[in-house]
Amino acid sequence: MTPRDRLIVGLDLPTVAEAEAMIATLGDTVSFYKIGYQLAFAGGLELARDLVRDGVDIFLDMKLLDIDNTVANGVENIAKMGVSMLTLHAYPKAMRAAVTAAKGSDLCLLAVTVLTSMDETDLTEAGYEYDPHTLVLRRAEQAHLAGMGGIVCSAEEAAAVRKIVGPDMAVVTPGIRPAGADAGDQKRVMTPADAIRAGASHLVVARPIVKAPDPKAAAEAILAEMQAAL
């Protein structure tokens, strides 16, 4: 894969009009976009269908979690949209239901391990007995056993996750921040080059690009850094 195949730009914007303007600004520089809650609930699902028809790769970041039947039914319909990637929380029963529902499609199911905005204090408050690193690795192993297509984790855990899942599964890392960039609400971050060297297959970058004064230049700089790391 080229850096352009590996860079996923998060369309974390409030309206479809703003998302379409950002896509136009980035032009051919970017070919893979993430649509999450904010945009999905403002018409982003229809935008996703339109972009898929135009040959654009879409990562639908829905982080599904529900009873098995509900997860399976949702995954079946999402697979019909033609999107490339879909996230769900890495709970074993939900993952097994999703894998069965996606069978025969090209949908890559991604297991969200521990959010990059969470640290050990946050996990303790939520009732987990594991630190972030341990929980990420436990969930990566469960996702691998369930037959998931990839893992979502902090780039800090990418190298350890890669050892568990092998060379074929996707390792998708949000929380990417170029050197000197503001971390914002992210607590486990890494630069694009370091994430690639750690074993990430795809980098998710939102604010450092979509909030930049020159989004296209910001994307090009990140792509150049990724290329150097490769």
Side-chain angles (χ1 to χ4, degrees), residues 9-178:
V9 173
L11 292 174
D12 296 344
L13 297 164
T15 68
V16 168
E18 289 173 81
E20 290 174 334
M22 180 58 60
I23 292 167
T25 295
L26 293 171
D28 293 338
T29 303
V30 175
S31 62
F32 209 150
Y33 289 99
K34 175 183 78 76
I35 292 178
Y37 289 156
Q38 182 182 25
L39 190 59
F41 299 136
L45 296 181
E46 287 306 314
L47 175 63
R49 291 185 175 92
D50 293 340
L51 291 172
V52 167
R53 282 193 290 267
D54 291 338
V56 177
D57 288 318
I58 295 297
F59 167 15
L60 200 58
D61 190 18
M62 293 290 97
K63 299 183 181 71
L64 301 182
L65 181 61
D66 212 308
I67 63 171
D68 297 359
N69 186 63
T70 300
V71 168
N73 289 340
V75 169
E76 285 180 6
N77 276 344
I78 291 169
K80 293 173 186 175
M81 293 174 63
V83 300
S84 300
M85 291 177 166
L86 169 70
T87 54
L88 59 148
H89 282 289
Y91 284 67
K93 280 170 60 65
M95 290 191 290
R96 290 192 292 267
V99 168
T100 299
K103 193 168 294 183
S105 75
D106 294 327
L107 179 61
C108 178
L109 296 171
L110 300 175
V112 176
T113 53
V114 177
L115 300 179
T116 51
S117 63
M118 300 182 75
D119 58 17
E120 188 166 1
T121 300
D122 298 315
L123 290 182
T124 300
E125 184 180 22
Y128 290 98
E129 61 179 300
Y130 301 106
D131 63 88
H133 186 81
T134 302
L135 184 55
V136 167
L137 299 191
R138 177 179 174 83
R139 287 180 163 174
E141 184 174 7
Q142 291 171 329
H144 185 247
L145 291 173
M148 294 285 284
I151 306 295
V152 179
C153 65
S154 158
E156 289 183 0
E157 294 103 24
V161 165
R162 181 59 74 192
K163 290 179 182 178
I164 291 172
V165 304
D168 297 329
M169 286 180 68
V171 176
V172 181
T173 56
I176 299 299
R177 293 291 185 270

